[in-house]
Amino acid sequence: MNTSAQPPSNDTPICYTINNPPFTFVPTIASAYFSSIFSVLGITSNLIAFVVLIKSFQRTHSSSRSSFLIFLGGLVVTDFMGLLVTGSIVVSFHVTHFNWRNLDPHCHFCNFMGMSMVFYGLCPLLLGAAMALERFIGITRPFTRSTTLPKRRTVFMLLLVWFTAGCIALLPLTGVGSYHMQMPGSWCFFNISSEGSDLTFSLLFSMLGLTCIAVSFVLNTVSVVTLIKVCCGQDKMQRPRDQEVEMMVQLILIMAIASICWCPMLVFIAQTVLSGHPLQVIYLLLWLRFASWNQILDPWVYILFRRAVLQRVYPRMDWSQWSQWSTLNQSFRSTINRLTRSSSLGRHLSSDEMGQNEKLNETPHTL
């Protein structure tokens, strides 16, 4: 859809100073169909995942599993609400082509959508880092975790993530950055610019997102290495490891999806404001669509990559192979230790016998 904006006047609100509606449209229905299908697919996927998570949470008896499911539930709810709020606005615009200036003369609606884009964009990245931290503590420091109120602590961390993202989304309303109408006129976002407070907020958004991805990568890598060592170590029989392996597989997939979907957008924002070059709208829209896929793909990680599903697809898959391999490995080590101790004891006895024989041989000479 090709659009052109009217030049702003002196009394134009700040959110319309860059792109001022009404816009002139070239008739097309592709955008309306794409936005509708995209939103319906994402909302349906998250609803299915939420139902599956509720059933799994009711059946689980593990505190670590419950904490992980609470985080996953928060991620699914966040993605669902993000698609519902932003998708309904975008689809309504493509269907009706309403005039933003008439509907929202004081930029309240535009600011709301801009805050929604920032909030629902940062939440999956922050939640990914929080889940990586929870799994890192649960795997590397299992005895330091609280056993009395694990669910309350997890809920507190989830609320803290939402609060942090909400505070960042409110910064443009306080003067740090600003929300503006974005081309083709269907959405609002913060102004990606290398000037003033817009530079500060753009770097804050991009650097925070990239930091969350980097933290998730480091913590997940350490957790996977530690889990492999624990599965092959002497304390393998303390608790079952199949659930932890399943959680780590899901967490790594969530991290990979977030990295693929969000890194181009975050790097593009940082590169644009640091270089001082004008914003390339075509690349902004391209990377935005990449980032939007994160909300659709996240729920399918838990829908598909579960033991129950994988065992139906691959009936020969044995999730207990970690424990079996560890048992064989431990038995082999025990056998080697017994043989080593027997060999050492034999050598010790042989040396004692040789010493006694030497004493017997020396006795006649001393008499």
Side-chain angles (χ1 to χ4, degrees), residues 251-268:
L251 188 54
I252 290 174
L253 289 174
I254 291 174
M255 178 193 68
I257 291 172
S259 301
I260 295 173
C261 294
W262 272 103
C263 277
M265 177 76 167
L266 298 173
V267 172
F268 170 75

Side-chain angles (χ1 to χ4, degrees), residues 303-342:
I303 294 174
L304 297 179
F305 293 90
R306 293 179 296 131
R307 286 174 296 166
V309 175
L310 293 177
Q311 286 174 349
R312 291 178 183 176
V313 177
Y314 303 101
R316 296 182 179 180
M317 176 178 287
D318 186 6
W319 278 81
S320 62
Q321 60 182 343
W322 284 79
S323 300
Q324 292 177 357
W325 191 89
S326 299
T327 303
L328 293 175
N329 183 57
Q330 184 65 20
S331 300
F332 177 76
R333 288 185 178 183
S334 300
T335 303
I336 294 298
N337 290 335
R338 287 197 300 269
L339 292 176
T340 303
R341 287 196 298 269
S342 300

Side-chain angles (χ1 to χ4, degrees), residues 164-235:
T164 302
C167 290
I168 295 175
L170 288 172
L171 286 178
L173 301 185
T174 64
V176 182
S178 56
Y179 290 121
H180 285 264
M181 172 67 58
Q182 304 291 333
M183 299 298 290
S186 58
W187 61 300
C188 290
F189 200 49
F190 63 86
N191 186 30
I192 303 174
S193 172
S194 58
E195 297 180 1
S197 61
D198 291 330
L199 169 65
T200 303
F201 189 79
S202 298
L203 286 179
L204 174 64
F205 182 85
S206 60
M207 291 296 105
L208 179 60
L210 291 173
T211 301
C212 289
I213 294 175
V215 169
S216 299
F217 178 80
V218 173
L219 294 180
N220 288 334
T221 301
V222 175
S223 298
V224 169
V225 173
T226 305
L227 184 59
I228 293 174
K229 291 181 179 180
V230 170
C231 287
C232 303
Q234 296 180 354
D235 59 343

Side-chain angles (χ1 to χ4, degrees), residues 76-119:
V76 168
V77 170
T78 303
D79 289 340
F80 172 81
M81 291 301 300
L83 288 169
L84 183 63
V85 173
T86 59
S88 60
I89 298 175
V90 173
V91 172
S92 298
F93 174 81
H94 284 301
V95 172
T96 63
H97 300 307
F98 58 81
N99 190 323
W100 282 81
R101 289 291 299 270
N102 296 335
L103 179 67
D104 183 31
H106 302 292
C107 292
H108 299 314
F109 191 47
C110 184
N111 289 334
F112 171 75
M113 186 176 187
M115 288 188 296
S116 300
M117 294 289 292
V118 172
F119 177 81

Side-chain angles (χ1 to χ4, degrees), residues 56-162:
S56 299
F57 186 81
Q58 293 174 346
R59 291 194 301 263
T60 188
H61 300 287
S62 170
S63 59
S64 61
R65 182 66 175 169
S66 298
S67 299
F68 188 73
L69 291 177
I70 291 174
F71 276 121
L72 279 178
L75 180 61
V76 168
V77 170
T78 303
D79 289 340
F80 172 81
M81 291 301 300
L83 288 169
L84 183 63
V85 173
T86 59
S88 60
I89 298 175
V90 173
V91 172
S92 298
F93 174 81
H94 284 301
V95 172
T96 63
H97 300 307
F98 58 81
N99 190 323
W100 282 81
R101 289 291 299 270
N102 296 335
L103 179 67
D104 183 31
H106 302 292
C107 292
H108 299 314
F109 191 47
C110 184
N111 289 334
F112 171 75
M113 186 176 187
M115 288 188 296
S116 300
M117 294 289 292
V118 172
F119 177 81
Y120 294 115
L122 285 178
C123 275
L125 302 177
L126 292 171
L127 283 173
M131 286 191 288
L133 177 61
E134 193 276 337
R135 283 289 78 217
F136 172 80
I137 297 175
I139 292 176
T140 61
R141 299 289 187 271
F143 296 107
T144 61
R145 302 182 65 203
S146 173
T147 58
T148 55
L149 299 174
K151 294 180 182 179
R152 291 187 181 181
R153 184 188 60 185
T154 304
V155 172
F156 173 77
M157 291 179 63
L158 178 60
L159 294 176
L160 182 61
V161 166
W162 286 340

